[in-house]
Amino acid sequence: MSRDSNITKIIGKDNLNKLRATKCLLIGAGGIGSELLKDLILMEFGEIHLVDLDTIDLSNLNRQFLFRQRDIKQPKSTTAVKAVQGFNNSKLIPYEGNIMDTTQFPLHWFGEFDIIFNALDNLAARRYVNKMSQFLSIPLLESGTSGFDGYMQPIIPNETECFDCTKKETPKTFPVCTIRSTPSQPIHCIVWAKNFLFAQLFAADINVDSNSENKDWGTTDEDEIKRIKQETNELQELQNIILSGDNSLIPKIIEKIFIHDIEKLLKIENLWKTRTKPIPLNINDIKTDLTDRDLDLSALWSIQDQIQKFSSITSKLMKRMEEEDNHIEFDKDDKDTLEFVSTAANIRSHIFNIPQKSVFDIKQIAGNIIPAIATTNAIIAGLSSLVSLRVLSLLDYAKISKPTDLNMTFTTKASNISQNRYLSNPTLAKPNCNCPVCSKVMRGVMNIPSNIFKELKLKDVINILAAKYNFDTEELSILDTTGQRLLSDFDFDSLDEKTLEEIKVVPGSVILVTDETEDENGMGLKPLELYIEAKDINIGKISDIALPDLKIPLVQMTTPEEQNNESSTFETAVLQTNEVINLDIDDDNEDLKKRKLQEESSNATQNKRSKHEEDDMEIIEEDDIIELD
Amino acid sequence: MSQAVQTGKLSADEIALYDRQIRLWGMAAQANMRSAKVLLINIGSIGTEIAKNIVLSGIGNLCVLDDNVVREEDLGCQFFLEKKDVGKLKVDVCSPKIKDLNPRVNLTVDSDSLANKEETFFKEFDLIVATELNRDQIIEVNKISRKLNIALYVTGSNGLFSYIFVDLIEFVSEEEKLKTGRATIVGEISSNKTIVEVDTRVDDDDPKKIFEMIKTKNTYKPFKEMLQSATLEGKLTKRQTKRVNSILPLTISYLTTIPSSVEELQKNTIATCNKLGLLPSILKEEYIQQFYKQVNVEFAPVAAIIGGAVAQDVINILGKRQSPLNNFIVFDGITLEMPIYEL
């Protein structure tokens, strides 16, 4: 028997040949990406183009099975392709780069693929690829994992829900006053140490914070706001100590932030009516021992050890400031910065009677580390590659009559949602009619001859758009959706005379065009989103600009849901809870309840995906998930 | 399970390497895994995935037993194998590749036939994962695992369809769960599970959060007994009974008797439905045809899913986290359904 005898029994010879002629794009060569690459090769996809911008790190090796200790610091995409040569039969093309880089990966490049597999680790890139798949109507298999939890969702443009049809959780934020004056959890002290203290001492260009008068302080207590502002000014003095390089002044820093500042806080009596009062450090506890000692990073240290470590690490960072141009950024893998933040947070926790955390634990919180394991990645990648057969219509005995017959999946047993099924497999939902990406706009590509790109003014664009689609130029607004900038509207026309190049609208930019005219029923033309491309012809005129042939329909311009955006978040949360309970105790009536919930909800698709969304919340891997304000 | 567990501390190197998973299951579980001894019987498509996953995760000792040689058709579903390996012993080809995945793991291979193995061979293991075995082999291995009190996972692949059988004999799992309005009560929760103890713990960081620490006793049946007496009667609601996936009776029927034709498979499976307390009308014609066509076929994506699920459960029980699978799981690669039945 031959290499392909197994798969032939499953999909048949003809479909295997189709698979061998299929060209796919795999974005990400990390946890899910390594697994997907292996699966797609064994399935004999004809061409696999693999994109990743990252290099290999030691902490990847527990799950990214194509990489070894010797590969650390090497690019993931090219290393992965080398690693699979032994069992590979496909044409493999690796790219080192960011998928959102429009120079390296313009829209027409995406257009070459029959199917896209997302194996990404951040929300921005997921959204971007989703948009590309929508522009070009290419099926997208979206996936993600976080620890034991994982999901996989096929997205068929115009037919099923897209990635942005459900609301994604944004980074968690805390009010300024909780962080600066009244912490009650370890995370408050960690945010204070990282985003405030460390940033002010080592990474700030001196005092940007207190100037903003309209800042939302999270409190209306005038005394407290005054105190916060004053404290910020005083921090400038501390930064001067750091810059002086004189490490005999370190006790002064400790005294200021862990004694004087706390004493000032205690004077604001309002704050302590219902809270436990903080206890400042004792001046006798502050010693000037700067020896660098090795302590167990996974243990909890005594307060004396914390203070000693804080002093020695501050001394070390002072020295580094001179060498590093007076600027050090927090990096979870930079041991000095991590230990500074850990000790500062723990000393503050001690003062506020909050439990302390080990350096190991603080690394996860401050560095926003998402736990990741080989097994969940293998399962999710397996599901993603498997469902591609039905998406590409290669299973003759399991043909779908419509794309919403396809299944998405998420883990339920490992995620503790259900004890009687390992996976949940709901069929796909239709696009959410309020989705800003796939339903609220029309979409197309605007092809501009490259020779006239340079001279083309925004005004010219407005005119040809108005001519083509019957827009009212007086009511037209144009937004650069990539940078979220307003370019033109009825009372802002100062950019109209500038060229596209001057206002940084370049090939790869996406603009949103809206005619704000509404009739008496609140109806208006559906907004139009255009992807800007340069067409490779050199003798073109403005009239050669190619706009998509679209009939733009009338739609309701302002909907009640939009006005109530705030409360819908709450509604979603309630729905999610409902369904989690539902899955657990009453498997049986799930569909019935689902339907009932759908009737109650204006957004008929949301509840189906409760867990899925919860996962997304966790897979957002941004540098600064914890923000001050 | 033999619990000669020497849980020494993890080194700084190990903590750095296993960072992303220690954050999930903790240092103690990671240390437990390092002292575990696992036997893997047969390294086919699912076996390869299991070996990869548990070796990456830092299992201490793995022994692979397989007397097969590499065939041409294995190349399409097993990523350790290359064209030049055809004709060689599988364990010899896979051994250096498994080692390379994680040099810390103590790996041994054995190309002896399973039939030659005496009871004493199995004694040293904490856990056995057996793949690609027929009924009689499973019954034989299960007899030994029961006698020596060793945890057993059995799994096999039929193209787009697959199954997992688990026999942990008796296993008490400890789980932590955020306390909701209704407190968890001690007592029987299903035919194979009883909650034996519930403690509460207040969260270190947030005193408003209360966790329940729940001890659940899982009981299991030997494979032979399950084939003879398996039933879903009284375990599912009427509605659930109607929605049971065809793959369950098909798999049980095939494991009981290998049919010589698709008609015989159909006949046997209808009998299995009756034994299980299911209406034969749940059987889908297309599934009977495809199951028969795809029997024993290996397929990479399915192996990845099943291999991932088995390895995850192995890691869980060695680390004593989360409740284990109990006791029969089927996977349908068309609808991606993966129900867990207590048989």
PDB file of all heavy atoms in Angstrom, chain A residues 466-485:
ATOM      1  N   ALA A 466     -18.678  60.092  -4.949  1.00  0.00           N
ATOM      2  CA  ALA A 466     -20.019  60.668  -5.023  1.00  0.00           C
ATOM      3  C   ALA A 466     -20.641  60.386  -6.388  1.00  0.00           C
ATOM      4  O   ALA A 466     -21.821  60.024  -6.496  1.00  0.00           O
ATOM      5  CB  ALA A 466     -19.947  62.169  -4.768  1.00  0.00           C
ATOM      6  N   ALA A 467     -19.804  60.497  -7.452  1.00  0.00           N
ATOM      7  CA  ALA A 467     -20.317  60.253  -8.798  1.00  0.00           C
ATOM      8  C   ALA A 467     -20.746  58.802  -8.974  1.00  0.00           C
ATOM      9  O   ALA A 467     -21.788  58.498  -9.536  1.00  0.00           O
ATOM     10  CB  ALA A 467     -19.249  60.633  -9.824  1.00  0.00           C
ATOM     11  N   LYS A 468     -19.923  57.886  -8.443  1.00  0.00           N
ATOM     12  CA  LYS A 468     -20.200  56.470  -8.649  1.00  0.00           C
ATOM     13  C   LYS A 468     -21.403  55.981  -7.831  1.00  0.00           C
ATOM     14  O   LYS A 468     -22.228  55.212  -8.316  1.00  0.00           O
ATOM     15  CB  LYS A 468     -18.943  55.667  -8.285  1.00  0.00           C
ATOM     16  CG  LYS A 468     -19.123  54.168  -8.269  1.00  0.00           C
ATOM     17  CD  LYS A 468     -18.693  53.545  -9.572  1.00  0.00           C
ATOM     18  CE  LYS A 468     -18.938  52.035  -9.560  1.00  0.00           C
ATOM     19  NZ  LYS A 468     -18.643  51.422 -10.834  1.00  0.00           N
ATOM     20  N   TYR A 469     -21.471  56.427  -6.581  1.00  0.00           N
ATOM     21  CA  TYR A 469     -22.483  55.834  -5.707  1.00  0.00           C
ATOM     22  C   TYR A 469     -23.615  56.789  -5.323  1.00  0.00           C
ATOM     23  O   TYR A 469     -24.392  56.480  -4.416  1.00  0.00           O
ATOM     24  CB  TYR A 469     -21.823  55.286  -4.431  1.00  0.00           C
ATOM     25  CG  TYR A 469     -20.751  54.257  -4.717  1.00  0.00           C
ATOM     26  CD1 TYR A 469     -19.404  54.538  -4.480  1.00  0.00           C
ATOM     27  CD2 TYR A 469     -21.097  53.014  -5.240  1.00  0.00           C
ATOM     28  CE1 TYR A 469     -18.418  53.597  -4.743  1.00  0.00           C
ATOM     29  CE2 TYR A 469     -20.118  52.066  -5.520  1.00  0.00           C
ATOM     30  CZ  TYR A 469     -18.779  52.361  -5.264  1.00  0.00           C
ATOM     31  OH  TYR A 469     -17.811  51.434  -5.543  1.00  0.00           O
ATOM     32  N   ASN A 470     -23.649  57.958  -5.980  1.00  0.00           N
ATOM     33  CA  ASN A 470     -24.720  58.894  -5.663  1.00  0.00           C
ATOM     34  C   ASN A 470     -24.684  59.440  -4.241  1.00  0.00           C
ATOM     35  O   ASN A 470     -25.712  59.678  -3.636  1.00  0.00           O
ATOM     36  CB  ASN A 470     -26.081  58.218  -5.868  1.00  0.00           C
ATOM     37  CG  ASN A 470     -26.781  58.847  -7.050  1.00  0.00           C
ATOM     38  OD1 ASN A 470     -26.520  60.026  -7.366  1.00  0.00           O
ATOM     39  ND2 ASN A 470     -27.649  58.092  -7.691  1.00  0.00           N
ATOM     40  N   PHE A 471     -23.476  59.584  -3.709  1.00  0.00           N
ATOM     41  CA  PHE A 471     -23.346  60.145  -2.365  1.00  0.00           C
ATOM     42  C   PHE A 471     -23.520  61.652  -2.430  1.00  0.00           C
ATOM     43  O   PHE A 471     -23.236  62.288  -3.446  1.00  0.00           O
ATOM     44  CB  PHE A 471     -21.959  59.859  -1.778  1.00  0.00           C
ATOM     45  CG  PHE A 471     -21.713  58.435  -1.396  1.00  0.00           C
ATOM     46  CD1 PHE A 471     -20.490  57.823  -1.679  1.00  0.00           C
ATOM     47  CD2 PHE A 471     -22.692  57.687  -0.725  1.00  0.00           C
ATOM     48  CE1 PHE A 471     -20.243  56.521  -1.314  1.00  0.00           C
ATOM     49  CE2 PHE A 471     -22.445  56.379  -0.354  1.00  0.00           C
ATOM     50  CZ  PHE A 471     -21.225  55.791  -0.650  1.00  0.00           C
ATOM     51  N   ASP A 472     -23.958  62.245  -1.328  1.00  0.00           N
ATOM     52  CA  ASP A 472     -24.043  63.694  -1.193  1.00  0.00           C
ATOM     53  C   ASP A 472     -22.707  64.180  -0.627  1.00  0.00           C
ATOM     54  O   ASP A 472     -22.376  63.905   0.521  1.00  0.00           O
ATOM     55  CB  ASP A 472     -25.204  64.023  -0.239  1.00  0.00           C
ATOM     56  CG  ASP A 472     -25.362  65.523  -0.031  1.00  0.00           C
ATOM     57  OD1 ASP A 472     -24.487  66.293  -0.489  1.00  0.00           O
ATOM     58  OD2 ASP A 472     -26.350  65.908   0.607  1.00  0.00           O
ATOM     59  N   THR A 473     -21.935  64.907  -1.430  1.00  0.00           N
ATOM     60  CA  THR A 473     -20.588  65.315  -0.991  1.00  0.00           C
ATOM     61  C   THR A 473     -20.627  66.135   0.289  1.00  0.00           C
ATOM     62  O   THR A 473     -19.705  66.117   1.087  1.00  0.00           O
ATOM     63  CB  THR A 473     -19.850  66.138  -2.072  1.00  0.00           C
ATOM     64  OG1 THR A 473     -20.724  67.166  -2.517  1.00  0.00           O
ATOM     65  CG2 THR A 473     -19.419  65.280  -3.225  1.00  0.00           C
ATOM     66  N   GLU A 474     -21.725  66.873   0.488  1.00  0.00           N
ATOM     67  CA  GLU A 474     -21.851  67.712   1.689  1.00  0.00           C
ATOM     68  C   GLU A 474     -21.977  66.865   2.956  1.00  0.00           C
ATOM     69  O   GLU A 474     -21.654  67.298   4.053  1.00  0.00           O
ATOM     70  CB  GLU A 474     -23.099  68.608   1.591  1.00  0.00           C
ATOM     71  CG  GLU A 474     -23.046  69.635   0.476  1.00  0.00           C
ATOM     72  CD  GLU A 474     -21.931  70.647   0.689  1.00  0.00           C
ATOM     73  OE1 GLU A 474     -21.864  71.209   1.796  1.00  0.00           O
ATOM     74  OE2 GLU A 474     -21.116  70.831  -0.246  1.00  0.00           O
ATOM     75  N   GLU A 475     -22.502  65.665   2.805  1.00  0.00           N
ATOM     76  CA  GLU A 475     -22.798  64.834   3.975  1.00  0.00           C
ATOM     77  C   GLU A 475     -21.831  63.658   4.126  1.00  0.00           C
ATOM     78  O   GLU A 475     -22.028  62.775   4.954  1.00  0.00           O
ATOM     79  CB  GLU A 475     -24.237  64.282   3.873  1.00  0.00           C
ATOM     80  CG  GLU A 475     -25.327  65.319   3.995  1.00  0.00           C
ATOM     81  CD  GLU A 475     -25.432  65.892   5.401  1.00  0.00           C
ATOM     82  OE1 GLU A 475     -25.144  65.157   6.362  1.00  0.00           O
ATOM     83  OE2 GLU A 475     -25.785  67.078   5.521  1.00  0.00           O
ATOM     84  N   LEU A 476     -20.797  63.665   3.287  1.00  0.00           N
ATOM     85  CA  LEU A 476     -19.906  62.503   3.260  1.00  0.00           C
ATOM     86  C   LEU A 476     -18.831  62.577   4.348  1.00  0.00           C
ATOM     87  O   LEU A 476     -18.210  63.620   4.533  1.00  0.00           O
ATOM     88  CB  LEU A 476     -19.230  62.445   1.882  1.00  0.00           C
ATOM     89  CG  LEU A 476     -18.889  61.058   1.356  1.00  0.00           C
ATOM     90  CD1 LEU A 476     -20.112  60.171   1.290  1.00  0.00           C
ATOM     91  CD2 LEU A 476     -18.232  61.177  -0.005  1.00  0.00           C
ATOM     92  N   SER A 477     -18.648  61.483   5.078  1.00  0.00           N
ATOM     93  CA  SER A 477     -17.520  61.454   6.008  1.00  0.00           C
ATOM     94  C   SER A 477     -16.586  60.317   5.609  1.00  0.00           C
ATOM     95  O   SER A 477     -17.030  59.263   5.145  1.00  0.00           O
ATOM     96  CB  SER A 477     -18.001  61.267   7.444  1.00  0.00           C
ATOM     97  OG  SER A 477     -18.266  59.921   7.704  1.00  0.00           O
ATOM     98  N   ILE A 478     -15.292  60.561   5.751  1.00  0.00           N
ATOM     99  CA  ILE A 478     -14.300  59.543   5.400  1.00  0.00           C
ATOM    100  C   ILE A 478     -13.384  59.308   6.588  1.00  0.00           C
ATOM    101  O   ILE A 478     -12.859  60.246   7.196  1.00  0.00           O
ATOM    102  CB  ILE A 478     -13.484  59.961   4.168  1.00  0.00           C
ATOM    103  CG1 ILE A 478     -14.453  60.126   2.984  1.00  0.00           C
ATOM    104  CG2 ILE A 478     -12.405  58.924   3.846  1.00  0.00           C
ATOM    105  CD1 ILE A 478     -13.812  60.350   1.661  1.00  0.00           C
ATOM    106  N   LEU A 479     -13.241  58.046   6.917  1.00  0.00           N
ATOM    107  CA  LEU A 479     -12.481  57.661   8.093  1.00  0.00           C
ATOM    108  C   LEU A 479     -11.378  56.705   7.655  1.00  0.00           C
ATOM    109  O   LEU A 479     -11.616  55.807   6.854  1.00  0.00           O
ATOM    110  CB  LEU A 479     -13.448  56.928   9.040  1.00  0.00           C
ATOM    111  CG  LEU A 479     -13.106  56.817  10.490  1.00  0.00           C
ATOM    112  CD1 LEU A 479     -13.353  58.164  11.174  1.00  0.00           C
ATOM    113  CD2 LEU A 479     -13.976  55.748  11.154  1.00  0.00           C
ATOM    114  N   ASP A 480     -10.172  56.894   8.196  1.00  0.00           N
ATOM    115  CA  ASP A 480      -9.107  55.923   7.974  1.00  0.00           C
ATOM    116  C   ASP A 480      -9.254  54.870   9.071  1.00  0.00           C
ATOM    117  O   ASP A 480      -8.969  55.139  10.229  1.00  0.00           O
ATOM    118  CB  ASP A 480      -7.748  56.627   8.064  1.00  0.00           C
ATOM    119  CG  ASP A 480      -6.588  55.639   8.037  1.00  0.00           C
ATOM    120  OD1 ASP A 480      -6.847  54.428   7.909  1.00  0.00           O
ATOM    121  OD2 ASP A 480      -5.438  56.084   8.144  1.00  0.00           O
ATOM    122  N   THR A 481      -9.740  53.687   8.703  1.00  0.00           N
ATOM    123  CA  THR A 481     -10.043  52.708   9.755  1.00  0.00           C
ATOM    124  C   THR A 481      -8.785  52.053  10.317  1.00  0.00           C
ATOM    125  O   THR A 481      -8.806  51.518  11.409  1.00  0.00           O
ATOM    126  CB  THR A 481     -10.981  51.577   9.262  1.00  0.00           C
ATOM    127  OG1 THR A 481     -10.298  50.853   8.254  1.00  0.00           O
ATOM    128  CG2 THR A 481     -12.270  52.131   8.720  1.00  0.00           C
ATOM    129  N   THR A 482      -7.696  52.087   9.562  1.00  0.00           N
ATOM    130  CA  THR A 482      -6.462  51.496  10.072  1.00  0.00           C
ATOM    131  C   THR A 482      -5.958  52.302  11.264  1.00  0.00           C
ATOM    132  O   THR A 482      -5.603  51.760  12.292  1.00  0.00           O
ATOM    133  CB  THR A 482      -5.385  51.455   8.962  1.00  0.00           C
ATOM    134  OG1 THR A 482      -6.047  51.331   7.706  1.00  0.00           O
ATOM    135  CG2 THR A 482      -4.443  50.317   9.161  1.00  0.00           C
ATOM    136  N   GLY A 483      -5.945  53.628  11.120  1.00  0.00           N
ATOM    137  CA  GLY A 483      -5.457  54.451  12.214  1.00  0.00           C
ATOM    138  C   GLY A 483      -6.578  55.081  13.022  1.00  0.00           C
ATOM    139  O   GLY A 483      -6.331  55.857  13.924  1.00  0.00           O
ATOM    140  N   GLN A 484      -7.833  54.755  12.701  1.00  0.00           N
ATOM    141  CA  GLN A 484      -8.994  55.359  13.368  1.00  0.00           C
ATOM    142  C   GLN A 484      -8.914  56.895  13.352  1.00  0.00           C
ATOM    143  O   GLN A 484      -9.074  57.550  14.371  1.00  0.00           O
ATOM    144  CB  GLN A 484      -9.105  54.853  14.829  1.00  0.00           C
ATOM    145  CG  GLN A 484      -9.616  53.428  14.942  1.00  0.00           C
ATOM    146  CD  GLN A 484     -11.055  53.266  14.455  1.00  0.00           C
ATOM    147  OE1 GLN A 484     -11.869  54.161  14.597  1.00  0.00           O
ATOM    148  NE2 GLN A 484     -11.351  52.135  13.848  1.00  0.00           N
ATOM    149  N   ARG A 485      -8.636  57.450  12.147  1.00  0.00           N
ATOM    150  CA  ARG A 485      -8.552  58.912  12.036  1.00  0.00           C
ATOM    151  C   ARG A 485      -9.680  59.407  11.148  1.00  0.00           C
ATOM    152  O   ARG A 485      -9.987  58.802  10.122  1.00  0.00           O
ATOM    153  CB  ARG A 485      -7.247  59.338  11.328  1.00  0.00           C
ATOM    154  CG  ARG A 485      -5.979  59.001  12.038  1.00  0.00           C
ATOM    155  CD  ARG A 485      -4.795  59.428  11.184  1.00  0.00           C
ATOM    156  NE  ARG A 485      -4.747  58.692   9.916  1.00  0.00           N
ATOM    157  CZ  ARG A 485      -4.288  59.201   8.777  1.00  0.00           C
ATOM    158  NH1 ARG A 485      -3.866  60.461   8.710  1.00  0.00           N
ATOM    159  NH2 ARG A 485      -4.261  58.464   7.685  1.00  0.00           N
TER     160      ARG A 485
END
